[in-house]
């Protein structure tokens, strides 16, 4: 309900999702979790764009991320309308 809380929450989520490389130190005994976290991390996707390489996998990742965010926003608005 507060814009400040929403902004801080969005920044915190983006900061955590940006790079999960720090978690690999703690997940050495379970490499499948580390591989999953690396797959959803934003940092490897940005590396290709920074080098001028646009791969279809990265574009699909960002399109999917935008679709998920759109779906969450729409769900939030629908729930607000129901109340």
């Amino acid at each position: 309900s507060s814009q400040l809380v929403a902004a801080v929450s969005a920044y915190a989520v983006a900061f955590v999702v940006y790079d999960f490389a720090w978690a690999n130190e703690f997940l050495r005994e379970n490499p499948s979790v580390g591989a999953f976290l690396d797959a959803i991390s934003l940092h490897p996707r940005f590396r290709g764009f920074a080098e001028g390489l646009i791969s279809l996998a990265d574009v699909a990742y960002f399109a999917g991320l935008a679709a998920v965010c759109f779906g969450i926003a729409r769900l939030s608005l629908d729930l607000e309308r129901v109340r």
Side-chain angles (χ1 to χ4, degrees):
S1 64
S2 172
Q3 290 180 348
L4 181 62
V5 172
V8 170
S9 300
Y11 181 76
V13 168
F15 181 75
V16 169
V17 174
Y18 178 69
D19 190 15
F20 281 115
W22 58 269
N24 288 336
E25 283 290 321
F26 303 107
L27 299 170
R28 286 186 180 173
E29 62 273 352
N30 197 352
S32 61
V33 175
F36 172 74
L37 290 177
D38 194 38
I40 64 171
S41 179
L42 291 170
H43 187 260
R45 312 283 184 214
F46 284 131
R47 188 178 325 133
F49 285 130
E51 294 173 356
L53 302 172
I54 299 176
S55 72
L56 185 59
D58 293 342
V59 171
Y61 173 81
F62 284 116
L65 184 64
V68 167
C69 291
F70 177 75
I72 291 171
R74 182 173 172 127
L75 178 66
S76 173
L77 290 173
D78 287 345
L79 290 175
E80 188 67 31
R81 186 175 38 152
V82 170
R83 286 192 224 169

